[in-house]
Amino acid sequence: MEITIKGDKEFDDVPSLKTKALRINLNENIYGTFSEIGAGQETVRQFFRAGGASGTIAKAMSAYDKAFSDAIYGIEDDKRYVTEARLRKMLNHEVRLMEERLTRDDHPNKLFFSYANTVATIDFAKKYKGHGWVGIKYQIDPDQEYNEIILHVRFKENDARLQQETLGVLGTNLIYGAFYKYNEPKKLLKYLYDHLDKDQLEIDTINFSGPVFEDVDNRLMSLQLVKNGMTDAVMFAPDGNNVLPAKVLYKKNILALRGSFRPVTKVNMDMFHTSYDMFIKENKVDEAKTQVVFEITLSNLRAEGEIDEQDFMDRAKLLCSLGQTVLISNFQEYYKLVEYFSQYSKARMGLAMGVNNLVDIFDEKYYRHLSGGILEAFGKLFFKDLRVYLYPMENENGTLTTSEDLKVHPRMKELYKFFKYNGKVVDITDYDPKILTVFSRTVLKMITNGEAGWETMLPEGVSKIIKEKSLFSCETEEVYNGNQ
């Protein structure tokens, strides 16, 4: 019996890597293959070192040579190797070989698995940190279909050897979690960082599939990545599914709109349409290579306490239903959002926003943590071909506030004039004056109180979805700093 002493506290006892690998190895039924490309064979090494691997590891391989790899797994349409499609081919190929070579008559209780990764570690010049795809296809019952967990990682360390070791730890955590934590996918996600630090690795996309994950919403799991600090942002495509941000944003002109979108209103969509029309007329902007992103940030809510995950997903679904791409991020300041986009594209960018948002940008309190203060932030925000498209605000007396008469702190007045007269801030002029008084917070209050008339303030089809799904009806109002 374990000894406990008065005053002991409960805590998670994290198994060592050896313990995790050994538990897998000692299970007489778990049996599978390891296929690792681009960063050595660091995952399978953990299982070899733990001991007892002969009954677990059917095969360990690393098809580094491109010609040899193509001969085994086939040639990708885009001729690339570090892709989700490549990873899936690796997983499916190895599972098929196991099924062909080991008959169920001789091995009725075997739980087959295939672990694979295809990665590119940091380059010699240390300019690109590296990234990769990691996944497992496996059974927890020999009579069931296979389950899959597939994730994309971005390395943060500055040494290839360290990145390889990090990948080995992640792979071991993934295999262990897949078999022993599949019933708690949120915890499984956290356990991927056992013996790792967030400064070593970023997981920016994850997808679960298969019979044991039937009730898992991959969008909610992606939200967990942001909530747990595993990544700064996740993206949903118009079809509502997770999508890798790099795939969507790479070398694109980007127009971003930030808001609460609780719910999305006619003002939000008018701001989008009018700013988009202006953006695509800019020099160096190719409409065919332009990506619009609606961003919702967790940062304001994080300070208020627990985040309502379903509420965020409801808002994302509404925007996706309108054919939009949605980014859920941890960024409070706009310059961090622009820095994030700059990882994937050097092309022209635009931000569409209301007057209150622009006033907030010129508020020094948001930049006190920076050694260079607001000037450092603005250097990051405006150093590229970035332009702000300003949507007007109607005042209580019926007058409009635009970039011409916008009020900022007296100390910021000359800085604002600099950006204004250098064309970094431009007014949206082709707006709909009939909807300027529509605000998300007003609509939300009407829905919550059961008032009539809010439907006309929303884009076509949105009110129907809200009613069918009973969205926002039983929740308290949240305050969003300056968002329309």
Side-chain angles (χ1 to χ4, degrees):
M1 181 176 178
E2 185 180 357
I3 295 174
T4 58
I5 299 175
K6 187 177 181 181
D8 282 347
K9 305 293 184 184
E10 288 190 8
F11 61 93
D12 284 338
D13 187 11
V14 179
S16 68
L17 292 175
K18 182 177 180 180
T19 300
K20 289 185 176 187
L22 190 58
R23 185 174 181 184
I24 296 286
N25 285 349
L26 293 181
N27 187 303
E28 62 184 17
N29 294 322
I30 297 176
Y31 188 80
T33 65
F34 291 76
S35 307
E36 304 184 68
I37 300 177
Q41 293 182 285
E42 293 298 316
T43 302
V44 75
R45 181 168 70 93
Q46 300 286 348
F47 289 83
F48 279 130
R49 285 186 168 184
S54 59
T56 298
I57 301 173
K59 178 178 71 174
M61 67 175 294
S62 187
Y64 261 65
D65 181 72
K66 292 180 180 180
F68 204 81
S69 182
D70 287 341
I72 298 172
Y73 303 118
I75 302 174
E76 302 300 321
D77 293 337
D78 57 9
K79 305 292 177 67
R80 295 167 64 200
Y81 294 87
V82 185
T83 65
E84 181 180 6
R86 188 54 153 200
L87 180 76
R88 290 186 181 278
K89 279 187 178 179
M90 294 168 69
L91 293 173
N92 293 335
H93 176 81
E94 300 303 337
V95 165
R96 187 176 68 252
L97 286 182
M98 272 192 297
E99 294 279 8
E100 290 173 356
R101 293 171 180 175
L102 296 178
T103 65
R104 282 297 180 186
D105 293 336
D106 296 331
H107 305 278
N109 298 318
K110 287 292 184 186
L111 305 175
F112 292 143
F113 77 89
S114 173
Y115 167 83
N117 66 56
T118 174
V119 306
T121 55
I122 192 168
D123 65 333
F124 183 77
K126 299 189 183 298
K127 186 176 180 181
Y128 301 103
K129 289 288 183 71
H131 72 110
W133 288 91
V134 184
I136 183 171
K137 185 169 185 173
Y138 71 108
Q139 298 173 299
I140 55 104
D141 187 309
D143 297 323
Q144 271 190 351
E145 290 297 314
Y146 285 84
N147 308 287
E148 284 187 350
I149 306 174
I150 291 178
L151 51 98
H152 181 264
V153 302
R154 297 174 66 86
F155 296 111
K156 294 184 176 182
E157 293 166 306
N158 290 314
D159 182 85
R161 180 181 58 82
L162 294 177
Q163 291 182 356
Q164 291 175 359
E165 292 173 358
T166 294
L167 184 63
V169 175
L170 176 71
T172 304
N173 290 339
L174 174 61
I175 296 169
Y176 182 82
F179 281 106
Y180 294 109
K181 299 295 179 183
Y182 66 84
N183 61 325
E184 297 179 288
K186 287 185 180 180
K187 287 189 176 180
L188 189 160
L189 204 60
K190 288 185 177 180
Y191 294 154
L192 291 177
Y193 276 88
D194 283 357
H195 312 291
L196 291 174
D197 192 271
K198 305 279 174 48
D199 292 334
Q200 295 175 268
L201 189 77
E202 175 185 348
I203 302 174
D204 59 4
T205 302
I206 191 163
N207 282 296
F208 297 80
S209 61
V212 300
F213 299 122
E214 280 181 342
D215 298 325
V216 173
D217 186 333
N218 281 314
R219 294 166 298 185
L220 278 175
M221 296 308 296
S222 288
L223 184 60
Q224 291 294 314
L225 295 177
V226 182
K227 187 177 176 182
N228 295 335
M230 298 174 182
T231 188
D232 288 321
V234 293
M235 185 172 279
F236 305 129
D239 61 7
N241 293 321
N242 296 343
V243 62
L244 186 66
K247 186 176 181 180
V248 175
L249 302 174
Y250 185 63
K251 291 187 176 181
K252 295 287 182 66
N253 300 115
I254 302 169
L255 175 65
L257 297 87
R258 168 179 287 187
S260 68
F261 307 118
R262 192 174 191 255
V264 56
T265 67
K266 285 184 176 179
V267 168
N268 299 134
M269 297 312 294
D270 189 46
M271 187 185 299
F272 154 58
H273 289 298
T274 51
S275 61
Y276 180 79
D277 289 342
M278 296 172 68
F279 185 64
I280 59 174
K281 293 174 183 175
E282 299 279 3
N283 291 332
K284 303 179 184 177
V285 175
D286 181 354
E287 185 174 5
K289 295 181 179 179
T290 296
Q291 178 63 51
V292 177
V293 177
F294 281 68
E295 185 232 7
I296 307 172
T297 179
L298 292 179
S299 63
N300 291 340
L301 291 187
R302 188 178 297 281
E304 298 171 13
E306 189 62 28
I307 293 170
D308 189 334
E309 297 168 4
Q310 192 56 52
D311 174 62
F312 265 78
M313 294 315 305
D314 290 342
R315 285 183 263 169
K317 288 176 186 176
L318 287 178
L319 288 167
C320 289
S321 72
L322 295 171
Q324 302 305 325
T325 299
V326 180
L327 187 79
I328 295 183
S329 81
N330 258 333
F331 308 123
Q332 181 176 22
E333 301 89 355
Y334 273 102
Y335 79 86
K336 290 184 178 178
L337 178 63
V338 173
E339 276 190 314
Y340 176 79
F341 289 150
S342 297
Q343 294 180 94
Y344 307 111
S345 178
K346 305 301 179 187
R348 175 157 284 186
M349 300 179 193
L351 297 173
M353 65 181 70
V355 168
N356 288 335
N357 294 76
L358 186 58
V359 171
D360 281 342
I361 285 179
F362 282 86
D363 191 333
E364 290 181 282
K365 71 180 181 183
Y366 294 113
Y367 314 111
R368 287 171 184 158
H369 62 288
L370 296 175
S371 57
I374 193 170
L375 292 179
E376 180 180 339
F378 277 34
K380 295 176 178 179
L381 181 63
F382 288 108
F383 87 101
K384 296 190 64 60
D385 286 338
L386 183 131
R387 185 162 287 171
V388 171
Y389 300 93
L390 188 65
Y391 198 81
M393 180 177 72
E394 184 172 323
N395 304 308
E396 292 181 1
N397 60 6
T399 60
L400 291 182
T401 298
T402 67
S403 68
E404 298 296 337
D405 46 16
L406 180 144
K407 298 290 190 297
V408 296
H409 192 282
R411 286 201 304 269
M412 296 294 107
K413 190 176 295 184
E414 296 305 318
L415 185 63
Y416 172 71
K417 284 182 181 179
F418 172 81
F419 289 111
K420 164 65 179 170
Y421 293 122
N422 279 278
K424 297 296 187 180
V425 180
V426 294
D427 285 306
I428 294 174
T429 56
D430 193 23
Y431 57 88
D432 183 352
K434 299 189 295 294
I435 60 174
L436 287 179
T437 55
V438 174
F439 292 91
S440 290
R441 59 180 178 268
T442 304
V443 176
L444 180 61
K445 195 169 185 178
M446 293 175 72
I447 295 173
T448 305
N449 295 338
E451 299 176 31
W454 56 269
E455 296 90 343
T456 60
M457 302 178 182
L458 307 184
E460 186 177 350
V462 171
S463 61
K464 182 180 178 182
I465 296 174
I466 290 175
K467 290 177 180 178
E468 288 177 352
K469 305 288 186 181
S470 299
L471 307 182
F472 310 124
S473 56
C474 301
E475 300 176 17
T476 58
E477 181 182 3
E478 294 167 355
V479 177
Y480 288 82
N481 192 15
N483 289 330
Q484 294 198 47

